[in-house]
Amino acid sequence: MLLFVASHGALTTTIAAEPPRPNILFIFADDWGWGDLSCHGHPYVKTPNIDRLAREGTDFHRFTVASGVCSPSRTAVMTGHFPARYNIDGHFAWVPSNAKRNMPDWLDTDCVTLPRLLQNAGYATAHFGKWHLANDMIPDSPSPGRYGYDTYGAFNCSGEQMPVHEDADNTIDFITQSHQSGKPFFVNLWIHEPHTPFHVVPKYRWRFRNSGLDEPDEIYAAVLSHADDRIGEVLDTLDRLNLADNTLVIFSSDNGPARGRPGTPLSLSYDTATGAGFGIGAAKGITAGRKGYKAALFEGGINVPFIVRWPGKVAAGHVDDRAMMSAVDLLPTFCEIAGASLPESYVSDGISQVKTLQGETSDGRRKPLFWKMSGRGKPGLADSFHWVDYCIVDQNWKLLSDADSDYVELYDIVADPYEQNDLHQQRPQVVADLVAKLTKWKATLPAEPDPKNFSSLRDRDSN
């Protein structure tokens, strides 16, 4: 855009105006499996609005999150760091459970966070939806506003719990206000679906009344359809305000789909943050062939949808099944897009993927990725996916390991994304190299959380 400024004489000076900085809308679902999209071939779930993002943007098939469960996965998005650096390798629960698992009670408010960096760069920042970087059962935990959000409405946090279905309305109001103020915006829309309890609305049950599905599948389809409609309302707002062309929109999920044990009955359950709804018996998410589900470090637990729309910058109607991006890449990527400076002392565990979003791609992962979780179960069984304590992805290799690397599995994750061919016996030198890197990384992790991130309830419980 050019601005023409007339002088007092006959000369006219042409001044190049700065193009408006792009807005960022990050939609982060909860337990939404890779296969739980109609554009990914789901047999009965319908997601026309997310499918629209895929038609108008690029569907990246190889994106992974930093954990198989929610709190550490969200920590990585917020900080650009592997969550183990903060002793966060499980979900935030009530204080005795956090203490037992050597976890803090909330994410450190002093750490570098994505919203604070964008806020400092002049963005209006907001968060609506699930938080779970603390817990509603910890009343003295910091509010989301302490991390760099100008405004928020949330659940799984201290204070008042936002009703789960008000996320889109609040996001629409924030986008409208930011547009009116002339500020670029960054907004998290972290939806509840399809996490338990399933808060199904009758009209969405009615939508699937003639589908022939059994009740659990009907409930699952209904809650995803409701979430997709709310996403559509936000996308329609971007269109109405003529903001779509200058807004980066990403849809993803914090981990793979939850699954109950075979034969789990359909029953009601209750969550202190979100209320009553149907329980794990209605969890019917699919991974489209990937191993494992939520809480696993196999691909079914960490390889999630990642659909990106950015008109004129990201190719429309394209599928990228090569680029291996990670949740720790989001902070440096968003900061580059927004023109936000990183502190000199800050070193991300990820890398900026702006060029990748715009079409430059390659196989494998040039900067290693690391995972830490508390494994359980016996390794080596065909249906055992939760034994893994550590994982590393480096170049084309993925190594899964128990606590002491006594048992490992090795996959060429580029050639074998479904983890069908364990190569640890055929490639002992690769195993040795990866175990050495994993061991070196473990040595950088803190032995225990910083006590400043403990609730006062710990003092009471210890007396």
Side-chain angles (χ1 to χ4, degrees):
M1 180 185 296
L2 297 179
L3 297 178
F4 296 93
V5 182
S7 68
H8 292 292
L11 297 178
T12 300
T13 302
T14 303
I15 303 173
E18 289 290 330
R21 286 183 291 174
N23 308 302
I24 302 172
L25 166 61
F26 180 47
I27 306 167
F28 210 30
D30 197 357
D31 297 358
W32 201 304
W34 196 94
D36 290 341
L37 296 168
S38 44
C39 64
H40 285 179
H42 198 284
Y44 60 80
V45 167
K46 305 301 179 186
T47 53
N49 293 293
I50 300 172
D51 296 354
R52 173 192 170 190
L53 289 177
R55 289 194 309 273
E56 297 174 354
T58 296
D59 186 351
F60 291 90
H61 284 194
R62 304 302 300 275
F63 178 83
T64 55
V65 285
S67 178
V69 293
C70 52
S71 297
S73 178
R74 293 160 193 270
T75 295
V77 171
M78 284 283 288
T79 66
H81 287 149
F82 302 125
R85 299 201 185 282
Y86 303 94
N87 280 83
I88 301 171
D89 57 7
H91 72 286
F92 283 113
W94 67 320
V95 168
S97 176
N98 295 336
K100 182 178 180 180
R101 292 174 294 145
N102 195 34
M103 282 181 52
D105 294 316
W106 53 74
L107 175 65
D108 191 347
T109 57
D110 293 329
C111 66
V112 172
T113 66
L114 172 59
R116 189 176 290 122
L117 292 171
L118 297 184
Q119 187 183 57
N120 291 340
Y123 273 66
T125 59
H127 174 99
F128 300 110
K130 183 171 183 176
W131 181 241
H132 219 167
L133 292 170
N135 192 284
D136 61 290
M137 295 181 287
I138 306 177
D140 59 344
S141 61
S143 72
R146 294 278 302 280
Y147 297 86
Y149 296 106
D150 296 320
T151 187
Y152 71 91
F155 49 90
N156 292 109
C157 62
S158 60
E160 183 178 0
Q161 306 297 293
M162 185 196 79
V164 294
H165 295 150
E166 292 184 6
D167 48 9
D169 287 342
N170 285 327
T171 299
I172 289 168
D173 289 345
F174 172 76
I175 289 173
T176 302
Q177 293 167 11
S178 299
H179 174 61
Q180 292 171 346
S181 70
K183 293 188 71 171
F185 62 79
F186 165 68
V187 55
N188 282 336
L189 174 56
W190 286 10
I191 61 178
H192 181 260
E193 289 85 0
H195 197 284
T196 56
F198 297 111
H199 304 294
V200 65
V201 173
K203 78 171 187 176
Y204 290 96
R205 290 288 298 271
W206 182 256
R207 181 174 285 182
F208 292 90
R209 67 192 182 281
N210 296 320
S211 63
L213 299 172
D214 61 20
E215 188 174 16
D217 290 283
E218 179 189 290
I219 291 168
Y220 196 72
V223 296
L224 292 188
S225 183
H226 188 188
D228 183 77
D229 273 6
R230 300 202 309 279
I231 290 169
E233 291 168 4
V234 177
L235 298 181
D236 289 346
T237 299
L238 295 176
D239 291 338
R240 176 172 54 83
L241 298 175
N242 295 316
L243 294 173
D245 285 347
N246 194 42
T247 301
L248 169 68
V249 181
I250 292 178
F251 171 81
S252 191
S253 177
D254 67 347
N255 47 249
R259 278 285 182 138
R261 295 181 182 275
T264 299
L266 181 63
S267 61
L268 294 178
S269 67
Y270 180 81
D271 182 88
T272 57
T274 67
F278 289 102
I280 194 69
K284 295 295 182 178
I286 62 175
T287 66
R290 289 152 182 80
K291 271 187 180 180
Y293 295 95
K294 176 178 179 176
L297 293 181
F298 286 92
E299 294 297 283
I302 60 173
N303 181 202
V304 295
F306 192 76
I307 298 173
V308 181
R309 188 186 75 176
W310 192 12
K313 302 290 195 305
V314 172
H318 181 62
V319 170
D320 186 321
D321 60 2
R322 295 175 58 199
M324 297 183 69
M325 293 189 290
S326 164
V328 293
D329 297 334
L330 294 180
L331 185 149
T333 300
F334 288 174
C335 284
E336 181 178 340
I337 289 169
S341 300
L342 300 176
E344 288 187 8
S345 60
Y346 173 81
V347 179
S348 175
D349 285 321
I351 55 177
S352 174
Q353 297 282 6
V354 173
K355 291 182 179 178
T356 303
L357 297 182
Q358 296 178 335
E360 180 181 299
T361 192
S362 61
D363 292 326
R365 177 76 189 187
R366 70 177 186 269
K367 187 173 184 179
L369 298 172
F370 296 91
W371 288 262
K372 178 188 176 187
M373 286 188 67
S374 296
R376 63 185 190 277
K378 186 176 181 180
L381 301 179
D383 60 349
S384 177
F385 305 114
H386 300 288
W387 57 268
V388 183
D389 292 284
Y390 294 95
C391 177
I392 175 175
V393 168
D394 187 19
Q395 302 297 325
N396 61 308
W397 297 110
K398 178 178 180 180
L399 181 86
L400 302 123
S401 170
D402 65 4
D404 300 315
S405 297
D406 295 326
Y407 180 89
V408 301
E409 293 183 8
L410 177 71
Y411 298 93
D412 183 337
I413 201 62
V414 170
D416 181 21
Y418 295 97
E419 300 167 301
Q420 298 298 306
N421 189 18
D422 178 10
L423 299 174
H424 81 274
Q425 291 184 331
Q426 294 94 316
R427 304 300 296 266
Q429 189 56 53
V430 173
V431 170
D433 291 344
L434 293 177
V435 168
K437 290 182 178 181
L438 194 54
T439 301
K440 184 177 180 181
W441 178 71
K442 290 181 191 178
T444 69
L445 302 179
E448 56 189 21
D450 190 327
K452 71 177 181 177
N453 300 310
F454 290 167
S455 168
S456 61
L457 296 177
R458 292 209 185 196
D459 296 333
R460 187 186 71 182
D461 290 341
S462 65
N463 292 332

